[in-house]
Amino acid sequence: MVRLPEPKTEILARREEIVAALRRLVPGGPLGEGVISEPLRLRPYETDGLTAYRQPPLAVVLPSSTEEVAAVLRYCHENGIRVVPRGAGTSLSGGALPLADAVVLGLMRLNRILEVDYANRLAVVEAGVTNLGITREVEGEGFFYAPDPSSQLACMIGGNVGMNSGGAHCLKYGVTANNLLGVKLVTIEGEVVEIGGGHLDPAGYDWLGLITGSEGQLGVVTEVTVRILRAAEGARAMLAAFRSNEVAGAAVDAIIGSGIIPVALEFMDRPAIHACEAFAQAGYPLDAEAMLIIEVEGSEEEQDRLLGRIREICARFDPISLRVAQTAEESLAIWKGRKGAFGAVGRISPDYLCMDGTIPTGELPHVLRRIGEMSRDYGLQVANIFHAGDGNLHPLIMFDANDPESVRRAEAFGADILTLCVEVGGCLTGEHGVGVEKRDLMRAQFTEAELRQQRALKSAFDPQWLLNPAKVFPLEDAPVPARAA
Amino acid sequence: MSGAEAIAPATEEEVAAAVAAAAAAGEPLAIEGNATKRAMLRPVQAARRLTLAGLTGITLYRPQELVIAARAGTPLPEIEAALAEKGQHLIAEPPDFRGLFGAEAPATLGGTVAANLSGPRRIASGAMRDHVIGIRAVNGRGEVFRSGGRVLKNVTGLDLCKLLTGAHGTLGVLTEITLKVLPAPEASGSLAVRVPDLAAGVRALCAGLGSPYGVSGAALLPEGVPEHGLAGPVALLRIEDFADSVAYRLGRLRGELAPHGAATPLEEAASRALWRAVRDAVPLGAAPEEAVWRVSVRPTAGPDVAAALRAAFGARLLLDWGGGLVWAAGPATAEAHEAVVRAAREAGGSFLLFRAPEPLRAAVAVMPEEPPPLAAIARRVKAVMDPAGVLNPGRMRAGF
């Protein structure tokens, strides 16, 4: 179990009084009570997408408006109570892991779409609207919201802002930060501020950019103004399989070098191909060492031309197989295995850790070779899925959560992979966030002075460190006051 | 200030030492690259200038990884030339405001990032701030720090790349910047749509940007472009892609825009020249003694802002970013400025007094005030990054 800060005994002792006060602030409504405090009903909130760690909170509060969020934060601030903001609880880095003395601030009841403005290509939505819910709302008019994390059916836009979520299509469309226009932020003092709005690049400091990806350290986002985009006329995928990771990597370089930026460029290594094929029967070539899924957009003729060019490029790299989808159905079949990758790995292993580092794309063959060596040393299998265009690597480490030794080795293996990512010029996390999972590795990437400065910036927003503590920064570090950084 | 004594470090360590010394002595510094934007924002009260013009050179370029890094003082044209050699370009299409600012030397990378300056492609592909993936900088204590890195996807720690981009040197001195770049499109072309008025023009731009054809530039020229034989107002829409796609998409777009007015296709050279002019705000025709403002609003609010500024002081106008970026030129008076402030506020947008003679810049708020809770946070953030207040004091606001 990950180490968490000592609970404040005076807060634990006041539990009933705090719950009663929260009930007055958030009485609830048609969707149910506003505060959950019974131990059994707290269970669903004791973990998130990183299920290895569990900790029931003091209470869960479920506001239905920005005003209620502000009231809760004001109360918690006045009473020195820690707050853990939570959307759908899909974080893979433990970003929503509670603390024993913390109130979980669940935002799922803020689920209204407030405005859709097609002329200006934006939507204003509350933080608890799901990622896919935005696209569902606007797809009838041919629009979509671009970032598409794997959890997009469940994950909420507020959490996407907190983690600056990516997805398979961010090579062309960017990550969350590139698709936002504004947020409504509630400070720990309970003040509501509008940042940005419907317009681009407001003058002044880029608060929107600083808050995006700040993992709930700076404030609580209750509303988000997102850019919506008109979808391309169509999209189609192809599959290319190669004899080695090096050759597949060279093919990726050649595609990018030709001036084509596919909307998606996914790489799978041999274990990933085998796991996905066994699960989805997508017709993946089992004799390949590496496989690419490449997707392009445009009219039928444009798709034909682009896929033809990419096919020619791949043909120069002695491929084992090349399969260009001729229809949308064939395209879906190619994607079927990749989209089921997590389920596929879950079928062959009782548990797995989904890692998330980024590396310079040219380092891929070296990094995969080193991961293979570590896999043998640790005695744990690993399958690698890679957003090849942007260098974001997802090793899936298979282990058994019921075996403490297996858990220990999986965590150590994961830490070694991320340290390797930093060593080759990459970073600890590409899209999942630091959370609790990687906080103690932050020193591998940043100097003490850099961490001190970041902690002081947190203090500028949250002087008492009440917002989502024990995440992002190494635990043993005391808060750095904004004044004495 | 231009006559102030200059410190010209040749290395990052020397930058750090200069800032540390300034902080210890409590002597503010005006941070500059090639000083092309000295007439922008508020005048800085500083005894000494710290020029980054000596920190030059591309430090890393990996075309197949879509990444370039250069020291802050590197002239932008040098970076653009290196990219062009490999068929790539800067995604945000940063402008060349030498004409607007009456500068001779080209802008540096550091100055362009510090001011977050983006061109017409911003509407489709993001601003400069969207493509800064790594920085090295010196804070107001004289400490070197990094944020981001050299990979395209990175959410490790707080994003100080974005905080410093557009902070005009008030939170740190950028010493090296890493950018995401992209292949330059093989071809480009434009349609010029003759529209009856600005509102109709913005409707045409919105229709184009809401089409599936990937419009990468959408501007509105109220007076037309006489040298290209285009009478005003004229809406300009650009497509950049492979040559066969440009031809196909322009054809489809022309059909889609038919209800908005007659569309004339522009041949590639003319199209490129015209967009360069839009990028650099040339059609605004701002006279040296005039003030220039930028107002950012929802695109459909652009025509109302434009009309208000015309009525208030006979503003000359140029609309970019689908109508959401309103450039205005007019007399450098407090009354004209107040009209801009009011128009931006009524439209729910933001404004910037982009260029003006010093007396006006010194006398007015050059950008909107922040709400009190954010202003308090801003003061604390400034105190973290620059406790002695030596970095470009007063450049953005009093105290910042």
Side-chain angles (χ1 to χ4, degrees):
Chain A
M1 179 65 190
V2 67
R3 219 154 51 81
L4 295 175
E6 282 300 309
K8 300 180 186 174
T9 47
E10 72 277 16
I11 298 294
L12 295 178
R14 289 173 55 203
R15 184 169 181 275
E16 278 177 37
E17 172 210 329
I18 291 167
V19 167
L22 291 172
R23 279 192 209 285
R24 282 194 296 280
L25 297 173
V26 185
L31 294 173
E33 289 175 86
V35 178
I36 296 171
S37 62
E38 304 78 4
L40 204 62
R41 291 182 57 213
L42 289 176
R43 290 284 298 275
Y45 296 91
E46 69 184 18
T47 188
D48 57 12
L50 185 65
T51 52
Y53 304 143
R54 290 170 191 278
Q55 170 61 58
L58 189 77
V60 174
V61 57
L62 301 171
S64 301
S65 67
T66 296
E67 292 69 35
E68 287 187 347
V69 171
V72 169
L73 288 175
R74 203 174 303 125
Y75 172 79
C76 289
H77 179 246
E78 282 163 5
N79 289 276
I81 302 164
R82 291 164 169 157
V83 179
V84 176
R86 180 183 175 105
T90 54
S91 171
L92 292 168
S93 60
L97 180 70
L99 299 167
D101 61 351
V103 169
V104 165
L105 181 60
L107 294 156
M108 59 282 263
R109 288 186 187 164
L110 275 82
N111 60 0
R112 286 158 291 220
I113 291 178
L114 302 174
E115 183 190 359
V116 177
D117 178 348
Y118 291 107
N120 291 307
R121 301 168 303 284
L122 63 86
V124 184
V125 304
E126 289 186 321
V129 172
T130 63
N131 173 292
L132 199 58
I134 302 174
T135 292
R136 291 271 185 267
E137 178 75 16
V138 300
E139 66 190 355
E141 298 290 323
F143 283 76
F144 72 113
Y145 173 64
D148 59 342
S150 299
S151 56
Q152 68 178 156
L153 188 63
C155 67
M156 292 169 182
I157 190 69
N160 288 184
V161 173
M163 290 302 187
N164 193 11
S165 307
H169 290 81
C170 43
L171 179 57
K172 175 160 181 195
Y173 292 110
V175 295
T176 302
N178 312 119
N179 287 278
L180 298 184
L181 289 168
V183 293
K184 185 177 275 185
L185 182 85
V186 187
T187 68
I188 186 64
E189 288 94 355
E191 304 270 12
V192 179
V193 287
E194 300 271 0
I195 292 169
H199 51 293
L200 296 169
D201 304 338
Y205 292 150
D206 187 358
W207 301 123
L208 183 60
L210 183 65
I211 285 155
T212 307
S214 65
E215 307 198 19
Q217 296 292 313
L218 307 182
V220 176
V221 168
T222 59
E223 273 179 38
V224 186
T225 304
V226 299
R227 288 164 64 102
I228 52 171
L229 303 175
R230 178 70 190 266
E233 287 185 84
R236 219 167 345 127
M238 64 172 283
L239 176 162
F242 300 95
R243 291 177 202 284
S244 74
N245 293 329
E246 282 82 355
V247 171
V252 168
D253 281 356
I255 293 166
I256 301 278
S258 78
I260 299 174
I261 298 296
V263 278
L265 187 44
E266 294 285 287
F267 179 112
M268 297 162 72
D269 73 354
R270 186 184 182 90
I273 297 168
H274 281 249
C276 292
E277 179 59 19
F279 183 67
Q281 287 92 44
Y284 291 169
L286 295 174
D287 50 347
E289 284 300 318
M291 193 187 99
L292 301 176
I293 296 175
I294 308 153
E295 186 173 271
V296 301
E297 283 183 344
S299 68
E300 285 295 330
E301 296 74 24
E302 288 177 303
Q303 294 168 26
D304 283 338
R305 275 198 299 270
L306 289 172
L307 290 172
R309 277 175 210 174
I310 295 170
R311 192 193 160 93
E312 272 172 37
I313 293 167
C314 290
R316 299 205 298 264
F317 293 89
D318 186 25
I320 286 174
S321 103
L322 284 178
R323 197 168 107 205
V324 176
Q326 300 303 323
T327 62
E329 291 70 38
E330 288 179 27
S331 213
L332 278 181
I334 287 176
W335 273 110
K336 189 178 163 202
R338 166 64 186 87
K339 297 226 163 171
F342 293 170
V345 171
R347 209 183 64 133
I348 57 175
S349 170
D351 300 281
Y352 66 89
L353 276 180
C354 177
M355 308 307 293
D356 163 54
T358 307
I359 56 173
T361 53
E363 297 288 341
L364 181 68
H366 166 68
V367 167
L368 290 183
R369 203 160 43 240
R370 289 284 298 118
I371 290 177
E373 289 162 15
M374 291 178 199
S375 167
R376 281 189 293 280
D377 293 347
Y378 280 105
L380 294 174
Q381 278 189 286
V382 62
N384 289 289
I385 290 164
F386 185 57
H387 304 307
D390 52 36
N392 191 194
L393 180 66
H394 294 305
L396 305 174
I397 300 172
M398 297 169 233
F399 72 106
D400 179 358
N402 291 322
D403 171 4
E405 173 58 16
S406 176
V407 174
R408 192 198 60 75
R409 276 185 288 140
E411 287 179 351
F413 186 5
D416 281 357
I417 291 177
L418 296 180
T419 308
L420 173 65
C421 289
V422 175
E423 274 168 24
V424 300
C427 66
L428 292 176
T429 172
E431 56 186 359
H432 293 174
V434 177
V436 284
E437 186 200 24
K438 294 175 280 271
R439 67 174 189 209
D440 296 315
L441 293 171
M442 286 288 272
R443 286 202 183 83
Q445 184 158 346
F446 294 107
T447 65
E448 285 303 322
E450 287 164 346
L451 285 173
R452 195 172 66 240
Q453 180 168 280
Q454 290 189 35
R455 297 202 311 272
L457 286 171
K458 171 178 169 62
S459 299
F461 286 78
D462 175 22
Q464 297 181 58
W465 280 55
L466 296 175
L467 283 167
N468 215 12
K471 318 282 165 66
V472 183
F473 302 105
L475 188 58
E476 58 271 32
D477 294 336
V480 175
R483 210 165 305 139
Chain B
M1 183 186 62
S2 54
E5 185 195 340
I7 310 167
T11 64
E12 185 180 75
E13 298 75 58
E14 289 176 16
V15 175
V19 174
E27 289 176 357
L29 298 168
I31 317 298
E32 295 179 348
N34 281 338
T36 57
K37 291 180 270 294
R38 210 175 262 160
M40 191 177 172
L41 305 182
R42 292 161 49 98
V44 175
Q45 300 304 321
R48 299 212 276 179
R49 295 183 288 130
L50 178 70
T51 173
L52 279 289
L55 255 69
T56 59
I58 292 166
T59 51
L60 174 125
Y61 181 26
R62 296 283 160 81
Q64 66 283 17
E65 291 176 7
L66 307 175
V67 170
I68 194 165
R71 295 194 186 91
T74 312
L76 219 46
E78 187 180 324
I79 293 167
E80 287 166 334
L83 292 170
E85 213 169 282
K86 301 288 182 189
Q88 297 190 330
H89 70 178
L90 294 172
I91 306 168
E93 199 177 4
D96 177 352
F97 286 140
R98 268 178 284 191
L100 196 63
F101 287 117
E104 280 173 21
T108 61
L109 175 63
T112 303
V113 169
N116 188 25
L117 291 177
S118 317
R121 208 178 290 117
R122 195 278 170 252
I123 188 70
S125 307
M128 213 60 198
R129 57 86 92 169
D130 290 292
H131 309 120
V132 174
I133 59 172
I135 56 165
R136 294 181 65 91
V138 173
N139 67 20
R141 300 161 195 276
E143 296 168 341
V144 174
F145 67 94
R146 305 156 303 158
S147 183
R150 51 162 290 200
V151 289
L152 303 188
K153 259 163 103 180
N154 186 346
V155 295
T156 321
L158 296 178
D159 189 349
L160 304 197
C161 297
K162 291 201 175 62
L163 184 62
L164 262 69
T165 302
H168 298 279
T170 61
L171 298 179
V173 182
L174 293 165
T175 55
E176 187 175 333
I177 294 143
T178 308
L179 296 170
K180 175 186 178 180
V181 296
L182 279 177
E186 181 181 277
S188 73
S190 296
L191 294 178
V193 185
R194 179 72 201 274
V195 289
D197 54 39
L198 298 188
V202 168
R203 281 196 296 275
L205 299 181
C206 288
L209 288 165
S211 78
Y213 306 117
V215 168
S216 79
L220 183 56
L221 288 77
E223 311 306 329
V225 196
E227 52 276 40
H228 285 92
L230 298 171
V234 63
L236 272 186
L237 296 102
R238 177 178 66 180
I239 299 220
E240 301 172 291
D241 212 311
F242 289 104
D244 35 25
S245 279
V246 170
Y248 162 77
R249 289 172 180 229
L250 282 176
R252 296 298 296 245
L253 191 62
R254 195 176 182 181
E256 204 135 313
L257 294 178
H260 298 274
T264 314
L266 300 178
E267 54 95 14
E268 177 144 4
S271 166
R272 284 187 192 274
L274 205 45
W275 282 106
R276 208 172 305 122
V278 170
R279 182 193 75 181
D280 301 343
V282 173
L284 201 55
E289 70 283 3
E290 283 185 311
V292 173
W293 294 268
R294 279 163 50 124
V295 178
S296 181
V297 293
R298 287 194 192 197
T300 52
D304 284 347
V305 170
L309 302 186
R310 257 186 186 158
F313 58 89
R316 281 194 315 291
L317 301 157
L318 167 65
L319 281 69
D320 196 358
W321 299 355
L325 174 65
V326 182
W327 283 97
T333 62
E335 293 71 38
H337 182 71
E338 187 46 43
V340 171
V341 173
R342 205 166 39 238
R345 189 171 52 227
E346 281 167 10
S350 179
F351 70 88
L352 196 61
L353 174 56
F354 198 71
R355 187 203 79 179
E358 187 160 329
L360 181 63
R361 292 189 288 130
V364 300
V366 299
M367 60 182 68
E369 298 297 335
E370 298 194 298
L374 260 190
I377 289 170
R379 278 192 295 276
R380 295 198 291 264
V381 165
K382 172 74 173 173
V384 168
M385 302 300 291
D386 178 23
V390 293
L391 303 179
N392 264 354
R395 181 108 171 109
M396 297 174 76
R397 300 187 162 94
F400 293 90

